[in-house]
Amino acid sequence: MASEKKTKTSLPIFLQLPATIIIWSLVGYVLPYLIYLSFNKNIPGKGLVFVGIENYYKFLIDPRVYGDLFRTIYYSGLGTIIEVILGMVIALAITNAIKNERIRYMVFLLFLIPMSFSEAIVANMWLLLVTPVGYINSFLKVLNLPTISWLGSDMALTTIIISDVWQWTSLPLLLIYAARSSISKEFYDMADLDKLSSWQTFRVVTWPHIKWAVAVSILLRFIFMNIYIDKIFILTYGGPGFATETLGFYIFLQAFQYGAYGYAAALSIITLLIVGILTYIFWKFMR
Amino acid sequence: MNLVRIISIIIVIIWGIFSISPLYIVVISGFKELNDVFTVPPKLIPFIDFQPSLEAYYKVFYTEIGQTFITSLVIAIAATVITLPVVIFSAYGFSRFPRAAMNDPRSFFILLTLRMTPPFAVVLPILLYWSSLGLIDTYPALIWTYTVFSIPLGVWILKGFIDSIPGRLEDAARVDGYNFASTFIKFVLPLMASGLAATIALVWLFLWNEFLFALKIAGGNVVTYTVKLPQLRHAERIMWNVYGAMGTISIIPPMIIFLAFRRYITKLYLAR
Amino acid sequence: MPEIKLEKVTKTINEKPIVQEVSLEIPNKSFYCILGPPGSGKTMLMRLIAGLEAPDEGKILFDEKDVTNLGPAERNVAIVFQDFALYPHLTAFDNIASPLKVKKLPMNEIKKKVEEIAKYLKIDHRLTHFPAELSGGELQRVAIARALAKGAEVILLDEPLVRLDYKIRENMREELYKLQKEMGKNIILISSDPIDAMSLAEKIAVMKSGKVIQTGTREEIYERPANIFVGRYFGTVEMNILDIDKVVSKDAGKIIIKTKSFEMELPFCKKLVEEKIKIGIRAEHLFITELSGPMDVNFEAKIMLTEVIGSDTIIHLDLGLNETLRASVPIIYRRKIGEKIRIGFDPRKIYIFSSNGELLARGSDLYD
């Protein structure tokens, strides 16, 4: 009967309808509104005033943006590199250090826990440690060492990176460890037979198998480090001065501190475009 | 016991200490009296360095602070419940009908982009949106926003699981004579069960941990614990032990979920 | 029971034609085999016949009724899948009962029917077990039982023997044959193993690259393959194909066909002299003259390898000058590698193919 064929063709569409409707109920407004905002300027007292593409080239001549850009790249770049390298080192260290499979698995799980917490909670946790009277400084005082101003303008960004490393090294650790576990022992037996050094074994046996996990880790961490500003918000609120202000946080400030809706919107649109491109790269990479 | 092994053991021990320390500190801080929290030297061992006290926890449970945990719980559960059926249908569609309209890889890509969207880029227009509807700082606003952002995450996770169920069983059911609804209920859902559990857990976790939207779209009347916690710093006297107590409570659900679903976490990130 | 007709059925996926303009007639109450190498489109054809997929073009008719737009339930077909597709979370009993439950029959009727079928297939003692606990052969039977329980008139078997061990496979073939005869249903077997087709099917369709190359009984396809592909594919051992050096006319109405290492004499045929041809000779038509006695064509060859399969031996022979042949003898024949033996065959048995692979004639045709 014709009815079965009709259901056949429209069924997949029905399946996607709820998700589509819900998502577009928000996005359908948000996206156009962002675009609309980006062509306007919010003047206190007057409201929105049309300014054309002023917001779009404003950021090119905004000196603060360049500092932010540098800090953003420094933050997410350095953070990602440290997390991936550390993750790899620890994954391999776990494999080498512990021969008992059960214990090895339990240690592995233990090391993954930081990844499960929220960014905000981790920031709060670290506050207990890095606040001027916090635990780390107390510890340093006991050792008669000078205390460090963890949240001062010199160290602040580094401190945030450390807290992020504490939390997210677990992700590369997870992926690389899993990749490493899937390498069958025979490869290593062969390397032993051929009397390869540790470095050679790594290069010839381990690395080819974990390459993909390393690449995914880099991509994921780089993208996600740029997406969340929770840690910055809670630990330093962008300061002191501009010491921990990244582009993302700058956009947030423009919107909620300075009320510059238009400018924030324009920057958001640019951000979304960049995210789109990065997601595309991620997408292509995963297929 | 060669050099490499020794270095490996050292690395594991150091990282172990580094990983556990902050957790340990947060937990013990929650059990201290206020004056014991930040001391020189730091008081680290209960009963020896300091007397554990439930002072902080009393404050949490008997004031509005504890209420924020309930708020977070309710919102996370509500959004997860709404998201679930939507995600089941959508993930099934993407998995089984990749050539159909709205189910093809390109549409999936759009979903993925949503997941990767930075909250800071969209929180302003979303705020103005709810404002114009008069729903600022209400449960529905936050729950709905959360739902929108949970769907891509849920679909991403669940689709991976459905992909691993052979489609042949659905063919067999069709041949046996079951219509789509019966096939789905009798033969797809039971086999999806573990994947479904993992999806629910991970979506819920994402919402339990969320900060920025909870801060800006709600934050006045509707306060989640993620918002409340940093606010403790603005009190006249910073209650650091309450800080520790709240921190301790907030990390319990993630740890439980994480350990319960550890196998799926791996699969999730490794899915090609 | 129904007679099934396919008219120019086509199915394309992502611009690739999986099934191209296939027209077939499957007589009712028959054991039909759709045979083809992997990638030939036979699985898709099965899905189209079953109603799991709809063709992009063409029509499918059951007893002259157009079922093209109907699903498997409405067409009343049953499928035994290659990987059995049993519901892992249900017992064998529930798996078999599944199509009956859809019909909403009362429970005691269902119980009776399931036990009846299970007994017939000798799995009644395993009904309470789950698929994970059953052996390959048992899973196969449960899958067949489920198909029978449905009471469908057309049963499609998708490479049913591929998952079974060698020994069980032979038993299964016997049982399937018996099944079809006793139940009088229309059984369509999809397979890539020509032995399945040769031992079970009344009629066969050979597929390649989405097209049906030839249909016919097994004798027809064996004796008159449409082209070299069918000739080589349809046989227990692949047919030997030889390039012909030259064909010369001899007086008295004879021609001599010369290969690189031997020659044979045949009655005159003008076409053979004019065109470039290839000769095919089946392994089972090559004989060891020492055992079979002298033959019209014979020559010397060196043994490269002997393979014993079951009770037959396949002998790989080197004729020199890069020409090789495989002979199949129904005994166990072990000789040393490098030994020289004499091989012979009856030129009436040869298959003569044109340069583009089509069958021109059999050797015997020239003698009529």
Side-chain angles (χ1 to χ4, degrees), chain C residues 12-205:
Chain C
T12 310
I13 294 188
N14 289 337
E15 326 248 315
K16 270 205 326 218
I18 310 280
V19 170
Q20 294 184 54
E21 296 206 348
V22 165
S23 298
L24 276 183
E25 269 184 41
I26 301 175
N28 61 2
K29 290 212 193 140
S30 67
F31 205 130
Y32 198 91
C33 178
I34 297 177
L35 180 70
S40 50
K42 58 188 190 300
T43 306
M44 179 54 77
L45 192 62
M46 177 198 81
R47 292 176 72 88
L48 289 167
I49 296 176
L52 285 171
E53 308 253 3
D56 296 323
E57 282 166 39
K59 284 213 288 227
I60 302 175
L61 306 159
F62 279 31
D63 274 342
E64 302 299 326
K65 195 174 109 175
D66 189 344
V67 299
T68 318
N69 291 321
L70 297 184
E74 282 131 349
R75 292 189 200 190
N76 204 15
V77 300
I79 303 184
V80 179
F81 289 95
Q82 178 178 7
D83 48 7
F84 315 130
L86 296 176
Y87 309 121
H89 57 300
L90 300 178
T91 59
F93 182 94
D94 289 323
N95 264 283
I96 302 172
S98 163
L100 296 169
K101 290 203 183 140
V102 177
K103 295 190 181 161
K104 301 223 166 68
L105 294 176
M107 198 54 204
N108 55 353
E109 251 190 73
I110 294 183
K111 198 160 182 286
K112 211 175 81 173
K113 212 157 193 312
V114 171
E115 282 168 4
E116 201 185 296
I117 296 177
K119 209 151 176 213
Y120 179 71
L121 288 169
K122 302 201 196 68
I123 42 166
D124 44 320
H125 57 294
R126 301 289 272 164
L127 284 176
T128 51
H129 291 251
F130 287 90
E133 302 160 351
L134 300 173
S135 72
E138 287 166 342
L139 289 172
Q140 175 71 284
R141 288 162 202 269
V142 174
I144 295 177
R146 183 174 65 181
L148 289 176
K150 187 173 175 185
E153 293 305 324
V154 179
I155 302 184
L156 294 153
L157 301 168
D158 182 13
E159 305 238 37
L161 306 179
V162 133
R163 287 274 186 114
L164 306 174
D165 321 321
Y166 186 63
K167 260 292 140 206
I168 306 184
R169 225 183 275 185
E170 296 195 342
N171 291 336
M172 249 351 229
R173 282 202 194 105
E174 275 176 44
E175 296 209 20
L176 286 175
Y177 185 76
K178 223 176 50 157
L179 197 72
Q180 197 273 329
K181 283 276 167 277
E182 286 174 14
M183 298 242 143
K185 296 195 193 277
N186 219 342
I187 295 193
I188 303 176
L189 177 70
I190 315 289
S191 177
S192 54
D193 186 352
I195 300 181
D196 287 345
M198 290 199 291
S199 55
L200 293 170
E202 293 159 23
K203 270 198 100 181
I204 302 163

Side-chain angles (χ1 to χ4, degrees), chain A residues 212-255:
Chain A
W212 187 83
V214 170
V216 172
S217 302
I218 294 178
L219 259 174
L220 281 177
R221 282 315 305 147
F222 189 73
I223 292 177
F224 278 94
M225 255 186 118
N226 283 301
I227 291 180
Y228 290 111
I229 54 172
D230 301 19
K231 289 200 177 82
I232 298 174
F233 184 97
I234 290 177
L235 283 169
T236 61
Y237 203 74
F242 305 125
T244 58
E245 186 178 283
T246 59
L247 285 173
F249 198 76
Y250 184 55
I251 297 176
F252 173 79
L253 285 180
Q254 286 295 342

